[in-house]
Short mmCIF file of all heavy atoms in Angstrom, two decimals:
data_model
loop_
_atom_site.label_atom_id
_atom_site.label_comp_id
_atom_site.label_asym_id
_atom_site.label_seq_id
_atom_site.Cartn_x
_atom_site.Cartn_y
_atom_site.Cartn_z
N GLY A 35 9.52 -3.42 -5.83
CA GLY A 35 9.11 -3.68 -4.45
C GLY A 35 8.27 -2.55 -3.88
O GLY A 35 7.27 -2.79 -3.19
N PHE A 36 8.66 -1.32 -4.18
CA PHE A 36 7.89 -0.16 -3.73
C PHE A 36 6.50 -0.16 -4.35
O PHE A 36 5.50 0.05 -3.66
CB PHE A 36 8.63 1.14 -4.09
CG PHE A 36 7.88 2.38 -3.69
CD1 PHE A 36 7.91 2.82 -2.39
CD2 PHE A 36 7.14 3.08 -4.63
CE1 PHE A 36 7.22 3.96 -2.02
CE2 PHE A 36 6.45 4.23 -4.27
CZ PHE A 36 6.48 4.66 -2.95
N LEU A 37 6.43 -0.41 -5.64
CA LEU A 37 5.14 -0.43 -6.33
C LEU A 37 4.25 -1.56 -5.81
O LEU A 37 3.06 -1.35 -5.55
CB LEU A 37 5.35 -0.57 -7.83
CG LEU A 37 4.10 -0.52 -8.70
CD1 LEU A 37 3.43 0.84 -8.57
CD2 LEU A 37 4.46 -0.78 -10.15
N ALA A 38 4.82 -2.74 -5.64
CA ALA A 38 4.04 -3.87 -5.12
C ALA A 38 3.57 -3.59 -3.69
O ALA A 38 2.43 -3.90 -3.33
CB ALA A 38 4.86 -5.14 -5.17
N GLY A 39 4.45 -2.99 -2.88
CA GLY A 39 4.06 -2.64 -1.52
C GLY A 39 2.98 -1.58 -1.48
O GLY A 39 2.04 -1.66 -0.67
N ALA A 40 3.09 -0.59 -2.35
CA ALA A 40 2.08 0.47 -2.39
C ALA A 40 0.72 -0.06 -2.83
O ALA A 40 -0.30 0.28 -2.23
CB ALA A 40 2.54 1.59 -3.32
N LEU A 41 0.72 -0.91 -3.84
CA LEU A 41 -0.55 -1.48 -4.29
C LEU A 41 -1.15 -2.41 -3.24
O LEU A 41 -2.36 -2.41 -3.02
CB LEU A 41 -0.34 -2.22 -5.62
CG LEU A 41 -0.03 -1.35 -6.83
CD1 LEU A 41 0.26 -2.20 -8.05
CD2 LEU A 41 -1.16 -0.38 -7.11
N SER A 42 -0.29 -3.18 -2.59
CA SER A 42 -0.77 -4.07 -1.53
C SER A 42 -1.32 -3.27 -0.36
O SER A 42 -2.31 -3.67 0.26
CB SER A 42 0.35 -4.97 -1.03
OG SER A 42 0.82 -5.79 -2.07
N SER A 43 -0.69 -2.16 -0.06
CA SER A 43 -1.15 -1.36 1.08
C SER A 43 -2.51 -0.73 0.82
O SER A 43 -3.31 -0.57 1.74
CB SER A 43 -0.13 -0.27 1.41
OG SER A 43 -0.11 0.74 0.42
N VAL A 44 -2.78 -0.40 -0.43
CA VAL A 44 -4.10 0.15 -0.77
C VAL A 44 -5.18 -0.91 -0.55
O VAL A 44 -6.26 -0.62 -0.03
CB VAL A 44 -4.13 0.67 -2.23
CG1 VAL A 44 -5.54 0.99 -2.67
CG2 VAL A 44 -3.24 1.89 -2.35
N ILE A 45 -4.85 -2.14 -0.89
CA ILE A 45 -5.83 -3.22 -0.75
C ILE A 45 -5.94 -3.68 0.70
O ILE A 45 -7.05 -3.89 1.21
CB ILE A 45 -5.43 -4.41 -1.66
CG1 ILE A 45 -5.54 -3.99 -3.13
CG2 ILE A 45 -6.31 -5.63 -1.39
CD1 ILE A 45 -4.93 -4.98 -4.09
N LEU A 46 -4.82 -3.84 1.39
CA LEU A 46 -4.83 -4.45 2.72
C LEU A 46 -5.10 -3.46 3.85
O LEU A 46 -5.72 -3.84 4.85
CB LEU A 46 -3.50 -5.15 2.98
CG LEU A 46 -3.18 -6.33 2.05
CD1 LEU A 46 -1.78 -6.85 2.33
CD2 LEU A 46 -4.20 -7.43 2.21
N ALA A 47 -4.63 -2.25 3.73
CA ALA A 47 -4.77 -1.29 4.83
C ALA A 47 -5.73 -0.18 4.41
O ALA A 47 -5.32 0.89 3.97
CB ALA A 47 -3.40 -0.71 5.20
N ARG A 48 -6.96 -0.43 4.57
CA ARG A 48 -7.97 0.55 4.15
C ARG A 48 -8.13 1.67 5.16
O ARG A 48 -8.66 2.72 4.83
CB ARG A 48 -9.30 -0.15 3.94
CG ARG A 48 -9.26 -1.12 2.81
CD ARG A 48 -10.59 -1.77 2.62
NE ARG A 48 -10.50 -2.81 1.61
CZ ARG A 48 -11.16 -2.78 0.48
NH1 ARG A 48 -11.96 -1.80 0.20
NH2 ARG A 48 -11.02 -3.76 -0.39
N GLY A 49 -7.67 1.47 6.35
CA GLY A 49 -7.87 2.46 7.40
C GLY A 49 -6.91 3.63 7.32
O GLY A 49 -7.01 4.49 6.46
N GLY A 50 -5.96 3.66 8.24
CA GLY A 50 -5.06 4.81 8.35
C GLY A 50 -3.84 4.71 7.47
O GLY A 50 -3.61 3.73 6.76
N THR A 51 -3.06 5.75 7.54
CA THR A 51 -1.86 5.82 6.70
C THR A 51 -0.68 5.07 7.31
O THR A 51 0.25 4.74 6.59
CB THR A 51 -1.46 7.28 6.47
OG1 THR A 51 -1.21 7.91 7.72
CG2 THR A 51 -2.56 8.03 5.73
N ALA A 52 -0.70 4.83 8.62
CA ALA A 52 0.43 4.15 9.25
C ALA A 52 0.58 2.73 8.71
O ALA A 52 1.70 2.28 8.41
CB ALA A 52 0.25 4.11 10.77
N GLY A 53 -0.52 2.04 8.56
CA GLY A 53 -0.47 0.69 8.00
C GLY A 53 0.02 0.69 6.57
O GLY A 53 0.78 -0.20 6.15
N ARG A 54 -0.39 1.66 5.81
CA ARG A 54 0.05 1.75 4.42
C ARG A 54 1.55 2.02 4.33
O ARG A 54 2.25 1.47 3.48
CB ARG A 54 -0.72 2.85 3.69
CG ARG A 54 -2.15 2.48 3.43
CD ARG A 54 -2.86 3.52 2.63
NE ARG A 54 -4.25 3.10 2.43
CZ ARG A 54 -5.14 3.83 1.85
NH1 ARG A 54 -4.83 5.04 1.40
NH2 ARG A 54 -6.37 3.38 1.70
N LYS A 55 2.04 2.87 5.21
CA LYS A 55 3.48 3.16 5.21
C LYS A 55 4.29 1.93 5.56
O LYS A 55 5.34 1.67 4.95
CB LYS A 55 3.79 4.29 6.19
CG LYS A 55 3.28 5.63 5.74
CD LYS A 55 3.57 6.69 6.78
CE LYS A 55 2.97 8.03 6.38
NZ LYS A 55 3.18 9.06 7.41
N VAL A 56 3.82 1.16 6.52
CA VAL A 56 4.55 -0.04 6.93
C VAL A 56 4.58 -1.07 5.81
O VAL A 56 5.62 -1.66 5.52
CB VAL A 56 3.90 -0.64 8.21
CG1 VAL A 56 4.44 -2.02 8.51
CG2 VAL A 56 4.12 0.28 9.39
N ILE A 57 3.45 -1.29 5.16
CA ILE A 57 3.39 -2.27 4.07
C ILE A 57 4.23 -1.81 2.88
O ILE A 57 4.94 -2.61 2.26
CB ILE A 57 1.93 -2.52 3.67
CG1 ILE A 57 1.18 -3.20 4.82
CG2 ILE A 57 1.86 -3.39 2.42
CD1 ILE A 57 -0.32 -3.31 4.61
N THR A 58 4.20 -0.54 2.57
CA THR A 58 5.01 -0.01 1.47
C THR A 58 6.50 -0.13 1.79
O THR A 58 7.31 -0.51 0.94
CB THR A 58 4.65 1.45 1.18
OG1 THR A 58 3.25 1.53 0.89
CG2 THR A 58 5.43 2.00 0.01
N ALA A 59 6.88 0.18 3.03
CA ALA A 59 8.28 0.04 3.44
C ALA A 59 8.72 -1.42 3.40
O ALA A 59 9.86 -1.73 3.02
CB ALA A 59 8.47 0.60 4.84
N PHE A 60 7.84 -2.33 3.77
CA PHE A 60 8.15 -3.75 3.71
C PHE A 60 8.41 -4.19 2.26
O PHE A 60 9.38 -4.91 1.99
CB PHE A 60 6.99 -4.57 4.31
CG PHE A 60 7.22 -6.05 4.31
CD1 PHE A 60 8.15 -6.62 5.17
CD2 PHE A 60 6.52 -6.86 3.45
CE1 PHE A 60 8.37 -7.98 5.17
CE2 PHE A 60 6.73 -8.23 3.44
CZ PHE A 60 7.65 -8.79 4.31
N GLY A 61 7.58 -3.74 1.34
CA GLY A 61 7.79 -4.06 -0.08
C GLY A 61 9.09 -3.49 -0.61
O GLY A 61 9.81 -4.15 -1.36
N THR A 62 9.42 -2.28 -0.18
CA THR A 62 10.68 -1.67 -0.60
C THR A 62 11.87 -2.45 -0.04
O THR A 62 12.87 -2.67 -0.73
CB THR A 62 10.74 -0.20 -0.15
OG1 THR A 62 9.59 0.48 -0.66
CG2 THR A 62 11.98 0.49 -0.65
N GLY A 63 11.76 -2.88 1.20
CA GLY A 63 12.82 -3.68 1.82
C GLY A 63 13.02 -5.00 1.12
O GLY A 63 14.15 -5.48 0.97
N ILE A 64 11.93 -5.61 0.68
CA ILE A 64 12.05 -6.85 -0.08
C ILE A 64 12.80 -6.59 -1.39
O ILE A 64 13.65 -7.39 -1.81
CB ILE A 64 10.67 -7.47 -0.33
CG1 ILE A 64 10.11 -8.03 0.97
CG2 ILE A 64 10.73 -8.56 -1.39
CD1 ILE A 64 8.71 -8.56 0.88
N GLY A 65 12.53 -5.47 -2.03
CA GLY A 65 13.23 -5.13 -3.27
C GLY A 65 14.72 -4.91 -3.04
O GLY A 65 15.55 -5.40 -3.80
N ILE A 66 15.06 -4.22 -1.96
CA ILE A 66 16.47 -4.00 -1.62
C ILE A 66 17.16 -5.33 -1.34
O ILE A 66 18.27 -5.60 -1.81
CB ILE A 66 16.60 -3.05 -0.42
CG1 ILE A 66 16.14 -1.65 -0.80
CG2 ILE A 66 18.03 -3.02 0.12
CD1 ILE A 66 16.00 -0.71 0.38
N GLY A 67 16.50 -6.17 -0.56
CA GLY A 67 17.07 -7.47 -0.22
C GLY A 67 17.27 -8.37 -1.42
O GLY A 67 18.29 -9.05 -1.53
N SER A 68 16.32 -8.38 -2.32
CA SER A 68 16.47 -9.24 -3.50
C SER A 68 17.58 -8.73 -4.42
O SER A 68 18.31 -9.52 -5.00
CB SER A 68 15.15 -9.35 -4.26
OG SER A 68 14.77 -8.12 -4.80
N ALA A 69 17.71 -7.42 -4.53
CA ALA A 69 18.80 -6.87 -5.35
C ALA A 69 20.16 -7.20 -4.75
O ALA A 69 21.09 -7.59 -5.46
CB ALA A 69 18.65 -5.36 -5.50
N TRP A 70 20.27 -7.07 -3.43
CA TRP A 70 21.55 -7.37 -2.78
C TRP A 70 21.86 -8.86 -2.84
O TRP A 70 23.00 -9.26 -3.06
CB TRP A 70 21.57 -6.90 -1.33
CG TRP A 70 22.84 -7.30 -0.68
CD1 TRP A 70 23.01 -8.26 0.28
CD2 TRP A 70 24.14 -6.79 -0.96
NE1 TRP A 70 24.34 -8.38 0.59
CE2 TRP A 70 25.06 -7.48 -0.15
CE3 TRP A 70 24.62 -5.82 -1.84
CZ2 TRP A 70 26.42 -7.22 -0.19
CZ3 TRP A 70 25.98 -5.56 -1.87
CH2 TRP A 70 26.85 -6.26 -1.05
N THR A 71 20.86 -9.71 -2.68
CA THR A 71 21.08 -11.15 -2.75
C THR A 71 21.57 -11.55 -4.13
O THR A 71 22.51 -12.34 -4.26
CB THR A 71 19.78 -11.91 -2.41
OG1 THR A 71 19.37 -11.56 -1.10
CG2 THR A 71 19.97 -13.40 -2.50
#
Side-chain angles (χ1 to χ4, degrees):
F36 178 80
L37 183 63
L41 291 175
S42 298
S43 71
V44 169
I45 294 169
L46 296 175
R48 295 181 186 242
T51 59
R54 289 184 180 176
K55 289 178 184 177
V56 168
I57 294 171
T58 303
F60 181 72
T62 305
I64 289 175
I66 292 170
S68 66
W70 176 251
T71 300

